[in-house]
Amino acid sequence: MTQISQDSTTPLSINDLQTMKQHGEKISCLTAYDASFSALINKAGIDAILVGDSLGMVIQGHPSTLPVTINDMVYHARCVSQANQRAFIIADLPFMSYTTPIIAAKNAAKLVQIGGAQMVKLEGARIETVRFLVELGIPVCGHLGLLPQLINQLGSYQVQGKTPVDAERILTEAHQLQDAGATLLVLECVPAALAKEISTQLNIPVIGIGAGVHCDGQVLVLYDMLNISITKRPRFSKNFMHNAPSIEEAIIAYHQAVKQALFPSIEHSF
Ligand code: KIV
């Protein structure tokens, strides 16, 4: 299969990710938080970079993403975008930074205008907020399934959507986000069968993390797949440094495994 702009440094847009879905080309995505890794990820040909609020854990050493502020996110998004050439950049709106549509718009604007993000991601079915941001011209990525910003309500990081009622709710919310104008969706820690159904039903690309191989693309936390996280690697992640002579080779191996639908295997799915 011909891959979109594979050898080019032309920046990818959301339209390119949409075309990849339509052509059945898997979308590769990794988190990054600084310029050096941004450059390496670009060199490896990864399609999208998520400046995730997971930086609260892997960069700042907190037990959750909750302490991360909008200023932290803007700073790291800016570091990443400075060195970016081709990858599509998504940045997280952190906990409590989108409590109302107006607050969300002010914070999303910082991620775009100062941080250089092309799209912002927010957790949960915040339909009115998504609609408002999209009306203002800010592209939005939804995030359903396991919502790490709800850890104090959830109690632990667990697979979501295991019961028929829960699965139906997530499927409904995915449609609501798409209808509100979200143009990308991250599905975290849900059964592979549910993620497959959502990816098939939605027109927008669905990027999975712990959501099986049938999503339109995959994302992993960079430090987990390089096996340098200070916390235990989640079951759905994989150590791509195993057998790789360098960090660059590990990222290339991940990119190829995603493109060829070799990752995630059953072992890394629910
Ligand atoms: O913050 C992050 O890294 C994320 C991924 C887990 C999808 O949101």
Side-chain angles (χ1 to χ4, degrees):
M1 180 189 302
T2 315
Q3 291 179 4
I4 299 203
S5 325
Q6 177 61 30
D7 301 315
S8 150
T9 51
T10 309
L12 293 180
S13 70
I14 186 58
N15 297 342
D16 294 313
L17 303 190
Q18 182 65 52
T19 304
M20 287 182 196
K21 174 170 177 128
Q22 280 157 3
H23 291 189
E25 179 184 338
K26 299 283 184 188
I27 299 163
S28 62
C29 181
L30 276 177
T31 68
Y33 319 98
D34 68 24
S36 299
F37 275 120
S38 173
L40 265 186
I41 287 172
N42 268 273
K43 213 168 157 201
I46 296 282
D47 300 313
I49 294 178
L50 169 65
V51 186
D53 60 358
S54 50
L55 69 84
M57 285 135 120
V58 299
I59 301 288
Q60 299 175 333
H62 297 298
S64 75
T65 60
L66 304 189
V68 178
T69 66
I70 187 65
N71 288 346
D72 294 334
M73 291 308 306
V74 170
Y75 171 79
H76 287 282
R78 190 167 167 79
C79 293
V80 167
S81 60
Q82 297 277 72
N84 188 55
Q85 286 195 299
R86 174 182 176 271
F88 183 74
I89 299 186
I90 308 149
D92 269 339
L93 279 165
F95 182 57
M96 298 305 280
S97 72
Y98 50 103
T99 46
T100 69
I102 297 278
I103 291 172
K106 284 187 179 151
N107 288 321
K110 289 182 191 169
L111 289 173
V112 172
Q113 292 185 300
I114 310 169
Q118 289 159 279
M119 172 177 267
V120 301
K121 174 164 82 61
L122 51 79
E123 295 184 9
R126 309 291 273 268
I127 306 306
E128 286 318 308
T129 301
V130 171
R131 194 171 286 124
F132 189 64
L133 293 179
V134 172
E135 268 169 22
L136 293 173
I138 299 174
V140 178
C141 175
H143 182 154
L144 294 176
L146 177 62
L147 307 179
Q149 292 175 12
L150 295 190
I151 185 60
N152 286 340
Q153 283 181 340
L154 296 171
S156 63
Y157 297 103
Q158 286 166 357
V159 182
Q160 305 292 308
K162 287 203 288 192
T163 66
V165 171
D166 229 28
E168 193 57 38
R169 175 186 55 77
I170 295 172
L171 177 63
T172 302
E173 290 177 351
H175 277 282
Q176 289 170 340
L177 285 167
Q178 174 175 272
D179 293 346
T183 38
L184 203 60
L185 176 68
V186 164
L187 270 185
E188 179 167 357
C189 279
V190 297
L194 172 61
K196 182 178 181 183
E197 186 61 29
I198 294 174
S199 306
T200 306
Q201 288 197 19
L202 293 197
N203 300 321
I204 61 173
V206 175
I207 310 291
I209 173 163
V213 75
H214 297 292
C215 295
D216 303 304
Q218 300 293 328
V219 59
L220 283 181
V221 171
L222 177 69
Y223 287 31
D224 288 342
M225 57 80 75
L226 294 180
N227 204 31
I228 55 172
S229 287
I230 49 181
T231 52
K232 191 170 170 282
R233 196 175 56 250
R235 201 203 98 182
F236 58 76
S237 193
K238 179 179 169 179
N239 175 10
F240 279 89
M241 281 303 285
H242 185 66
N243 290 334
S246 67
I247 289 176
E248 191 180 335
E249 291 295 334
I251 296 173
I252 290 171
Y254 167 73
H255 176 65
Q256 289 172 348
V258 170
K259 287 287 173 188
Q260 292 162 18
L262 297 173
F263 178 81
S265 59
I266 302 280
E267 174 197 355
H268 300 109
S269 307
F270 300 106

